[in-house]
Amino acid sequence: MEESPSSRFCPACSAKPQEGCRNAEGDIIRGWHQERHPGYKPPASPAEASQRLIEQLWYRNMPLTLSRLDLFDAAALAARDGTLTQDVRDSAASTAHKMAGSLGMFGYKRGTDLARQLEQLLESSAVPDATRLTSLAEQLRAELKVPVGSAG
Amino acid sequence: MRRILIIDDEDDIREVAALSLESMAGWQVTTASSGADGIRAALADPPDAILMDVMMPMMDGPTTFKEMQAMPAIAHIPVILLTAKVQGPDQRRFAGLGVTAVLFKPFDPLTLADQMSTALGWKS
């Protein structure tokens, strides 16, 4: 395998060494082949290199983000129906905590704030206000620019 | 070259923090996804510092830190806790543990290395 500037990811497509890089058509190119990626320009600084990789990580983690947003939607629906169980509530609170701690590092500072509000609402001793829960879930999805049903 | 061990159960946190420290500071980074794995990694190859999440399943950050403090081989390694809990009581609890510093999530990937360097006294 060729030497890579990063021990973890190809800077051009974020593939890990064992995955191999992909070309524009989505076909796997084995090994580190950043020079084969169309339009690839080396980053001008460590900060730019870091930002590019972080952006690629965001898209790589999108399936997890979508499933988390779906969980909030499900919790909000259950709250409206009066069927929100403690397990779902705890799971949603834990998920909100994780998102509060991570969205800001991807540049979604308001996302962090919304996730924190969700966490506090779900962790409070009172029964969560279904309207507020729904509103926060919708605002978070809008902030992350993910349409409903994206997970399929 | 400084060597850092990152302990966090969240994949994206580990990955972004590692990328950040490698790119911005040129540090050598290893990672672990649990307190138990982190202790094993630290014993196998003691790092210069540990960046560790507070909330982890099975064994949380404070518990892991206390376990490390009881192990002479790694008790000396400075530990920085990383937490998304910003309420006052939580901050006081963590500060009372004896860790080197507590940093808050979400961190800024472009300044994490700087914050750690300051906390660890590595800045000249």
Side-chain angles (χ1 to χ4, degrees):
Chain A
M1 186 179 293
E2 297 166 26
E3 192 69 23
S4 167
S6 163
S7 62
R8 289 182 172 75
F9 303 102
C10 169
C13 73
S14 81
K16 292 183 178 175
Q18 63 270 29
E19 295 172 346
C21 301
R22 291 182 182 273
N23 60 17
E25 286 74 40
D27 301 319
I28 292 176
I29 311 167
R30 290 294 168 195
W32 298 106
H33 299 280
Q34 46 180 311
E35 68 274 7
R36 296 188 193 178
H37 290 266
Y40 175 75
K41 292 187 182 65
S45 65
E48 185 181 339
S50 185
Q51 289 285 64
R52 282 195 199 178
L53 285 165
I54 288 166
E55 185 180 332
Q56 286 166 0
L57 272 174
W58 169 253
Y59 288 107
R60 172 194 280 271
N61 289 334
M62 187 55 70
L64 176 61
T65 300
L66 293 174
S67 70
R68 286 173 167 174
L69 292 174
D70 287 345
L71 174 60
F72 297 143
D73 289 344
L77 180 63
R80 291 200 299 274
D81 291 344
T83 59
L84 181 62
T85 64
Q86 192 60 47
D87 279 353
V88 172
R89 186 173 170 176
D90 290 345
S91 180
S94 171
T95 298
H97 174 78
K98 290 179 200 260
M99 293 189 90
S102 65
L103 289 176
M105 71 184 183
F106 289 112
Y108 293 102
K109 289 184 172 44
R110 181 154 188 267
T112 277
D113 182 53
L114 289 167
R116 208 158 259 151
Q117 291 181 58
L118 268 167
E119 179 189 5
Q120 287 165 0
L121 181 63
L122 289 159
E123 282 187 342
S124 70
S125 55
V127 174
D129 181 304
T131 303
R132 177 121 180 90
L133 188 53
T134 302
S135 173
L136 285 171
E138 288 174 352
Q139 287 182 67
L140 183 56
R141 190 177 282 276
E143 177 64 20
L144 303 182
K145 298 180 178 57
V146 177
V148 177
S150 298
Chain B
M1 182 189 292
R2 304 287 190 185
R3 293 175 309 121
I4 308 295
L5 170 62
I6 296 173
I7 306 173
D8 198 307
D9 62 308
E10 288 285 299
D11 292 346
D12 55 357
I13 301 284
R14 285 199 312 277
E15 289 173 346
V16 172
L19 279 168
S20 164
L21 299 181
E22 287 173 346
S23 301
M24 301 304 295
W27 292 342
Q28 183 181 326
V29 178
T30 52
T31 65
S33 59
S34 70
D37 284 348
I39 288 174
R40 277 190 283 273
L43 285 169
D45 186 15
D48 296 309
I50 295 171
L51 179 67
M52 179 160 60
D53 185 28
V54 166
M55 280 188 68
M56 294 187 287
M58 304 303 287
M59 187 159 62
D60 66 12
T63 304
T64 304
F65 175 72
K66 286 177 192 167
E67 296 265 337
M68 289 177 170
Q69 290 293 288
M71 299 177 180
I74 56 175
H76 66 285
I77 300 173
V79 173
I80 295 176
L81 290 180
L82 201 53
T83 181
K85 288 288 187 187
V86 295
Q87 284 83 12
D90 294 307
Q91 293 178 37
R92 285 191 288 276
R93 179 167 73 93
F94 303 146
L97 286 171
V99 295
T100 298
V102 180
L103 298 182
F104 297 102
K105 294 181 185 180
F107 57 82
D108 181 346
L110 298 184
T111 61
L112 178 62
D114 251 7
Q115 287 181 283
M116 289 183 64
S117 289
T118 299
L120 292 163
W122 288 353
K123 282 198 155 192
S124 53

